Amino acid sequence: MSATLVPLLDANREAMASDFADVIDAEVKKQSGLSGAAIKTAYAAAQKFKPGVVQVATSKMLPEFMTALSPLWDSKPAGTSFGDHLKANEDAAAEALLAVTDGQAEHAPAVLAKTYKSVRGKAKGYVVDALGPVGDVVEKYAG
């Protein structure tokens, strides 16, 4: 398994975690309708359970996320933004990222695991929607 992106974490871990938490916050805020209300409720419950949980969890999972995205980084054509490359490979990118969060949910406190499971069915669509901004964050630190 490639670890091409993992070295980015050496000096940038907290800044990257903060930027990814901002992407997650923005994606949650964009949700609407009944499913959007469910996402916003689950997100608020997770934050109430443990303030700062999104940034802390993101920081903890960053090595796994970077490892999961490294094969896509390595296959990115020259002149293509990483966000565009992730969107062009949305199924593989989303599944790679969700494999990380699924694994974490198995060991999370019960309330967080329950919250995650409540939104997991629609999670792939949410991850796909965020791939452009996710790629932009990675590229910011890789460049």
Side-chain angles (χ1 to χ4, degrees):
M1 193 179 317
S2 175
T4 306
L5 293 173
V6 174
L8 295 178
L9 301 177
D10 292 344
N12 303 307
R13 187 179 194 130
E14 292 311 310
M16 286 181 80
S18 178
D19 286 353
F20 282 125
D22 289 346
V23 169
I24 294 166
D25 287 344
E27 290 300 317
V28 169
K29 286 177 185 165
K30 288 192 323 191
Q31 303 309 310
S32 62
L34 290 177
S35 62
I39 291 294
K40 288 176 181 178
T41 299
Y43 193 71
Q47 289 181 314
K48 184 175 181 181
F49 172 75
K50 189 172 183 178
V53 69
V54 174
Q55 184 163 345
V56 169
T58 301
S59 180
K60 179 181 175 187
M61 291 185 280
L62 270 176
E64 292 176 81
F65 284 143
M66 294 299 99
T67 298
L69 291 175
S70 285
L72 289 157
W73 177 262
D74 293 341
S75 68
K76 179 179 76 71
T80 301
S81 76
F82 192 46
D84 286 345
H85 186 59
L86 291 178
K87 289 187 284 186
N89 295 278
E90 65 184 34
D91 190 63
E95 290 297 336
L97 293 171
L98 287 169
V100 174
T101 57
D102 289 348
Q104 290 295 315
E106 291 177 15
H107 307 291
V111 68
L112 292 178
K114 182 179 178 183
T115 299
Y116 179 79
K117 286 178 185 172
S118 75
V119 298
R120 178 55 177 91
K122 294 187 180 265
K124 187 171 182 177
Y126 301 131
V127 172
V128 166
D129 289 346
L131 289 174
V134 164
D136 293 345
V137 170
V138 172
E139 207 153 42
K140 173 181 174 181
Y141 293 98

